Amino acid sequence: MCGIVGYIGDRQAAPILLEGLKKLEYRGYDSAGVAVYNDNQVNVVKAKGRLKILDDKLDGGKNLPGTMGIGHTRWATHGAPSDVNSHPHTSSSGNIAVVHNGIIENYLKLREYLIGKGYEFVSDTDTEVVAHLADYYYNGDLIDTIIKVINRVEGSYALGIVCKDKPDELVAVRKDSPLIVGLGENENFIASDIPAILEHTRNIYLLEDKEIVLLKKDEVKIFNIDKEEIKKEVFTVNWDVSAAEKGGYEHFMIKEICEQPKVIKDTVSPRLKDGTIVLDDIKLTKEDVDSIKKIYIVACGTASYAGMVGKYVIEKLVRIPVEVDVASEFRYRNPIIDQDTLVILISQSGETADTLAALREAKKQGARILSVVNVVGSSIARESDNVLYTWAGPEIAVASTKAYSAQLAAMYLIALYMGLKKGTVSEQEVENIIEHLKTIPDKVANILNHKEKIQYYASQYFNAKDVFFLGRGLDYAVALEGSLKLKEISYVHSEAYAAGELKHGTIALIEQGTLVIALATQEHLFDKMLSNIKEVKARGAVVIAVAQEGNTEIEKEADFVLYLPQVDQLLAPSLTVIPLQLFAYYVAVAKGCDVDKPRNLAKSVTVE
Ligand code: M6R
């Protein structure tokens, strides 16, 4: 939530800040602002609304001189989106300007304290206390000041701070919110995420919690909370700028949907060797796997739905009970955990606040931790005992698509790996599933080649008021994801139901013309699904069914059928989700929605 960027160097800062913010707009987009030092002043310009408004106001940055500054794109937490609540926030004297991502939990107490010291507050934000507190503690040394500030604030933060008295310095610090440092030639950067600075440098520092960085144009120093200098390794980014560009597609979402064959291949191929699974990144011995009595899969949103697929697959192949929990519940419900528990965290960003807190809670209670993460070096990855990276590349659209597909692939790999270690699947069975797994990228590509059919259905039903997604077993897990995709980007109300559960209440909502998307890819549940389709048809529903090629019997019951290439039914979710993503996408486009930046949302939820 919220994106921050900072620049110090020889070039004009404002255009670089605005370009950086464009790459971070997925993190929040209700207002934006920049603060640039020039001529003994820190000039702040902010605007409510999309970044474009600020960009126009500043003529792409051209009319704001200065070579050092900070910028922010906001997802409101404290205080409605407005000019005054936008960042950067300044101290009353105008000496200090701050951008912040996160939440200062004790801001009310600090606000009272600072009002008592004569400070005047102009905004409703939690961030403004940081500007005044920094001003209050400022003694001519920005590192001393930051140390004092972070000793007082509670909560999560990535902060970028500039000071009128220090035209050659920019300081930053993080705790539980992402922040990286970009290292250039005679210029340096801070940013919430790599794409913001990738066109300028590939060399970055990944900051740890409470590491304070002092940037000058030709020098970067990092300190700990005791003001001791720390040496860090430079991390080199190995993907290129085009991975975070639209590349001719109308939206990032459709680009990312179309990248899925490659993403699945990139995630799976390096882990297959001689007909078996090799997960060098995971250090679980046979004894470790044998000792695991219980698995929790913990995640949020789409990642938790990938976890649902993981549950079915792991329980089938490894025969260990698996519970899937949304992280915001898991962290507060005192789950029963011990050293025989494996907790699998799934997260695209690796920064989701609830998932990170769940990880820390599980670790505290002695569980072993395995995380499935997309962003290399993110907090969840760094704090886990074992990490299996999904190689999906940067995912920019708020709606997750390719990350989900990569997470499914990771779930299959983990299940096969653990099943082999535990001896619950034979080498032959694993080899068979691997053969099927290898065919998935081509089969996904095949579905994508026929996307016009789904576009047609979307054009017919984009005005639907309610859509129900039904499925059994693995199809139910995918139905959850299909339904989330549709509601988050097209604002169509939709629900996913285990098809057998519908008649215990929800079927009352089915009326003449209600759209039902029925997933029927699971061979052993196919007849049951046919009965469920009949039930909703009898109440007037229009049914679009998704089934594997050859199961033509379904045509007698459903109004329309989308056939998927035949595949081992355990792997079917990797195919079934594709038409559902496309359907959500085309409905949102037909409704004129802002597909990549749906209302009220942000890409990574780094606050509770
Ligand atoms: O970065 P994460 O995978 O931890 O994010 C989890 C959810 O916030 C995310 O999947 C969210 O549900 C997406 N908007 C879904 O498209």
Side-chain angles (χ1 to χ4, degrees), residues 300-303 346-352 355 380 398-401 407 481 484-485 488 601-605:
C300 300
T302 284
I346 309 177
S347 176
Q348 186 285 129
S349 61
E351 301 291 349
T352 299
T355 313
I380 293 175
V398 165
S400 184
T401 54
Q407 287 159 357
E481 173 58 5
L484 174 62
K485 254 351 37 126
E488 75 177 319
L601 295 179
K603 181 71 182 162
S604 55
V605 185

Side-chain angles (χ1 to χ4, degrees), residues 402-474:
K402 63 175 180 172
Y404 173 83
S405 280
Q407 287 159 357
L408 292 192
M411 288 293 112
Y412 294 129
L413 293 172
I414 291 170
L416 290 166
Y417 172 85
M418 289 180 70
L420 263 180
K421 290 246 183 267
K422 200 169 160 66
T424 43
V425 274
S426 67
E427 284 178 12
Q428 187 53 49
E429 280 171 291
V430 171
E431 219 171 290
N432 280 343
I433 299 175
I434 287 177
E435 282 315 305
H436 280 270
L437 201 50
K438 284 188 196 155
T439 68
I440 296 284
D442 285 346
K443 288 177 178 166
V444 170
N446 179 304
I447 300 168
L448 291 170
N449 285 339
H450 297 95
K451 53 183 179 302
E452 289 69 26
K453 190 165 177 191
I454 295 147
Q455 188 172 14
Y456 170 74
Y457 291 141
S459 73
Q460 299 302 297
Y461 293 102
F462 74 93
N463 272 328
K465 202 162 66 57
D466 304 293
V467 180
F468 290 85
F469 288 77
L470 305 184
R472 286 171 173 263
L474 281 166

